[in-house]
Amino acid sequence: MPELPDVERYRKTAKKCKISDIDRIVVKGTRFVKSSENELNNKFKGKNFKKIIRHGKYLFLQADKSISLVLHFGMTGDLHFLKKDEEEPKYSRCSINFKNNYVLHILSRRKLGSVELTKDAGSFIKENDLGPDALKISRKDFISLLKTKKSMIKTALTNQSDIAGIGNVYADEILYQAKIHPQKSTGQLSEKETDAVYNELHKVLKTAIEANADVSKLPETFLLPSRSKGRHCPGCKGKLESTKIAGRTTFYCPSCQKSPE
DNA sequence: CATAATGTTTAAGA
DNA sequence: GTCTTAAACATTAT
């Protein structure tokens, strides 16, 4: 479930590996891991990850000044930090073994996403044209950003070049909480509505982070769990509607989220 | 067995 | 240049 809150949890997991030196990196999913096992071992063996940085949906493991690994989790990624003698998790595509006998497993069921070498977070963000992290964009920048856009609000929220970290399900959640129809265009939003989106963007992401991105721990007022069970609005209990926006399934409540004209 | 899945990139057309 | 849509990637869970 790797959107910003999930990757924030991975960041906390990855922090645990900072204390030990890297012993050996094992590559199991070629194509998912963009560098060869040899190259990775040459670069990282004997070093340790000094800095762990999340930006949007990306996680950076920084060893030396100009040597980092950047992880992207696609749609089905996960990160496990286990003892060496524990059973290897299914779909582990790359494991980083540490000298203290712990292993960081990078998993990906569908092999979307990637593990690759990069210089550092800053240069990667620039090269890949990532926008500011969703938790760090200022209200002012958010408002002026929306003014330049001509797309549907949901599309704008999920465009990683504009704002990094919001994906399909949290975009739905933010718009549900803000009571705004996902198909409204940014130009159709009143000042009040833009404000509400900004406020809910923060509230939703922070709440999800506090819940450790565990769907079962989200408040009952959240839409997210209803995607898979019931498909009823937690507020009015009416049936949710779904449509495709930018090729992705979008859920919303037709009575709580006002339709665009 | 068929369908959909929390993401991104690329190509083509408006 | 902006926006939209569809397809591709690889694989499983329902």
Side-chain angles (χ1 to χ4, degrees), chain A residues 43-58:
Chain A
K43 288 254 159 61
F44 290 104
K45 219 171 183 171
K47 293 177 180 162
N48 75 315
F49 294 121
K50 297 187 183 79
K51 263 199 205 164
I52 313 287
I53 297 165
R54 181 192 60 71
H55 185 94
K57 305 176 192 174
Y58 290 86

Side-chain angles (χ1 to χ4, degrees), chain A residues 106-118:
Chain A
I106 304 158
L107 338 200
S108 180
R109 177 153 51 76
R110 283 168 68 185
K111 291 184 190 163
L112 303 174
S114 56
V115 175
E116 54 187 306
L117 272 167
T118 191

Side-chain angles (χ1 to χ4, degrees), chain A residues 74-205:
Chain A
M75 289 172 95
T76 57
D78 207 346
L79 196 64
H80 290 184
F81 191 57
L82 303 173
K83 282 186 185 159
K84 206 173 219 161
D85 56 17
E86 288 180 273
E87 195 186 336
E88 169 147 323
K90 223 173 172 182
Y91 315 124
S92 171
R93 308 299 186 187
C94 180
S95 25
I96 304 174
N97 295 268
F98 294 89
K99 294 206 168 130
N100 64 356
N101 285 325
Y102 275 82
V103 187
L104 189 67
H105 289 284
I106 304 158
L107 338 200
S108 180
R109 177 153 51 76
R110 283 168 68 185
K111 291 184 190 163
L112 303 174
S114 56
V115 175
E116 54 187 306
L117 272 167
T118 191
K119 195 164 164 281
D120 56 43
S123 58
F124 183 90
I125 290 164
K126 231 180 219 169
E127 277 163 32
N128 290 275
D129 191 32
L130 293 175
D133 187 78
L135 284 178
K136 290 191 183 137
I137 188 168
S138 70
R139 182 180 299 270
K140 200 169 124 267
D141 289 349
F142 183 74
I143 290 166
S144 47
L145 169 70
L146 288 197
K147 280 192 185 136
T148 69
K149 294 267 122 187
K150 290 163 209 154
S151 59
M152 285 181 260
I153 179 62
K154 175 166 179 182
T155 310
L157 286 177
T158 52
N159 182 341
Q160 303 301 301
S161 301
D162 292 329
I163 309 168
I166 301 168
N168 193 41
V169 312
Y170 282 101
D172 281 3
E173 188 67 55
I174 289 161
L175 294 172
Y176 171 76
Q177 296 298 336
K179 299 194 188 328
I180 289 162
H181 196 289
Q183 280 170 320
K184 263 200 175 180
S185 69
T186 53
Q188 285 175 303
L189 297 178
S190 68
E191 212 172 295
K192 223 176 151 184
E193 288 175 316
T194 309
D195 253 16
V197 177
Y198 184 78
N199 291 341
E200 293 303 336
L201 181 160
H202 272 259
K203 255 210 285 199
V204 164
L205 295 178

Side-chain angles (χ1 to χ4, degrees), chain A residues 9-27:
Chain A
R9 185 180 75 227
Y10 306 154
R11 186 183 66 81
K12 288 168 189 162
T13 299
K15 266 169 65 179
K16 296 178 189 169
C17 74
K18 283 168 78 176
I19 55 161
S20 185
D21 285 348
I22 297 157
D23 183 34
R24 197 165 67 95
I25 299 181
V26 181
V27 173

